[in-house]
Amino acid sequence: MELLSSNRCFDGEHRRYRHRSQVLDCEMIFAVYLPPQARKQPVPVLYWLSGLTCTDENFMQKAGAQKRAAELGMAIVCPDTSPRGVDLPGEDDSYDFGSGAGFYVNATQQPWARHYRMYDYVVSELPALVEAELPVSDQRSVSGHSMGGHGALIAALKNPGRYKSVSAFAPICHPTACPWGQKAFLGYLGDDQETWAEYDATLLIPEARERLPLLIDQGTADQFLEEQLHPESLAEACETAHHHVTLRMHSGYDHSYFFIASFIDEHLDHHAKALGLR
């Protein structure tokens, strides 16, 4: 790993690293916040998955999570949202497909299959690297926003025992039934909708082998709520399958990082309890 930058923050340290990803076959950048406790012993990690158009920088600069993470003794790892600079035709043509829009799936369609394997990257490769090279433990939680909320939900639902807890802000809950998800899945996975279902949280709930409680925050003034996000579909699936979900609807909040910053401490506390930090 190549250290790109380091900043002191709440007596901890924010770092950016570059490394060669074997899974994605390209150079990748990720960020990590190490709380002050990491100087004495390995600390548990919250993996944060960001939304469309984001890099590792959006959450770290806008969410205001470091203060509470420092108090709790929790590291935060924030990967990028897609491969970058792999020069695939059309990868920079739109905000919701290609660069900045990996959708946390393993692409099977060409030319995307060689590089766009973000599911394997965030679930397996990046945690293995972080746990081998940094003062963190193998105690993990996962959270995210929008496309990243979708990523967090499927990562937890598809990998029983891997995470201690999961939460999401305004996640894409039913991607097979919304324009963002349909565009991404068709492009990355082809037209076999059985394959699409493997990356849809609402469709994964009935067969989930682990029942981690889901904490989801959603703003009522979110401009994408009705067309893209469908939290009611996930809630209905959870009710039918008796899978615990806490869906909190917040009046007047939109899809922005102002919304995330307003409630991030509560999510960190949720994960801290599961990680044994509270």
Side-chain angles (χ1 to χ4, degrees):
M1 301 192 307
E2 176 190 0
L3 181 63
L4 300 178
S5 64
S6 175
N7 305 93
R8 194 77 162 183
C9 186
F10 294 103
D11 201 32
E13 191 177 2
H14 169 265
R15 301 177 185 174
R16 297 186 78 216
Y17 285 100
R18 178 165 49 218
H19 75 107
R20 178 76 187 182
S21 167
Q22 299 302 313
V23 167
L24 305 177
D25 193 22
C26 66
E27 298 287 321
M28 291 293 287
I29 292 174
F30 71 92
V32 57
Y33 176 70
L34 294 172
Q37 294 86 341
R39 292 196 291 271
K40 296 181 179 179
Q41 62 186 21
V43 296
V45 184
L46 174 65
Y47 288 88
W48 173 270
L49 307 182
S50 293
L52 289 166
T53 75
C54 290
T55 68
D56 65 285
E57 296 181 289
N58 298 72
F59 177 81
M60 290 298 194
Q61 294 182 5
K62 296 180 179 180
Q66 291 91 340
K67 182 177 181 180
R68 187 65 180 139
E71 294 168 349
L72 293 167
M74 179 189 300
I76 301 174
V77 170
C78 188
D80 204 343
T81 52
S82 77
R84 302 282 176 173
V86 292
D87 298 325
L88 298 182
E91 72 174 351
D92 298 320
D93 289 354
S94 60
Y95 79 96
D96 55 357
F97 187 81
S99 293
F103 257 85
Y104 304 102
V105 302
N106 287 337
T108 59
Q109 303 300 297
Q110 299 301 334
W112 311 99
R114 176 180 172 185
H115 299 288
Y116 278 68
R117 301 182 61 81
M118 288 298 295
Y119 175 81
D120 280 354
Y121 178 70
V122 301
V123 170
S124 301
E125 186 183 34
L126 183 60
L129 177 68
V130 168
E131 290 164 18
E133 300 292 337
L134 296 174
V136 303
S137 72
D138 62 0
Q139 301 298 293
R140 314 173 197 94
S141 292
V142 64
S143 186
H145 171 231
S146 194
M147 178 185 73
H150 142 77
L153 292 173
I154 65 168
L157 289 168
K158 289 166 68 69
N159 294 277
R162 187 157 185 81
Y163 303 99
K164 296 296 186 182
S165 54
V166 58
S167 72
F169 288 85
I172 302 172
C173 293
H174 196 7
T176 62
C178 77
W180 278 342
Q182 291 165 353
K183 178 178 179 178
F185 288 3
L186 181 63
Y188 295 136
L189 304 174
D191 56 11
D192 181 0
Q193 296 200 13
E194 290 188 10
T195 304
W196 295 14
E198 297 175 12
Y199 296 102
D200 186 313
T202 295
L203 301 181
L204 290 171
I205 285 290
E207 305 301 325
R209 289 184 291 140
E210 183 179 41
R211 300 290 178 178
L212 287 179
L214 308 182
L215 171 61
I216 298 174
D217 279 336
Q218 174 65 61
T220 64
D222 190 319
Q223 63 269 42
F224 304 114
L225 175 57
E226 183 174 346
E227 184 178 27
Q228 304 284 9
L229 304 180
H230 299 302
E232 72 287 347
S233 296
L234 181 65
E236 289 170 8
C238 287
E239 182 177 2
T240 300
H242 306 291
H243 191 127
H244 182 78
V245 61
T246 300
L247 173 60
R248 307 192 302 185
M249 303 298 294
H250 299 279
S251 179
Y253 284 90
D254 59 19
H255 201 69
S256 71
Y257 267 86
F258 295 108
F259 168 50
I260 296 171
S262 299
F263 301 101
I264 190 62
D265 283 5
E266 295 175 34
H267 281 242
L268 295 181
D269 289 343
H270 165 77
H271 296 296
K273 184 176 181 181
L275 292 166
L277 297 174
R278 294 190 67 203

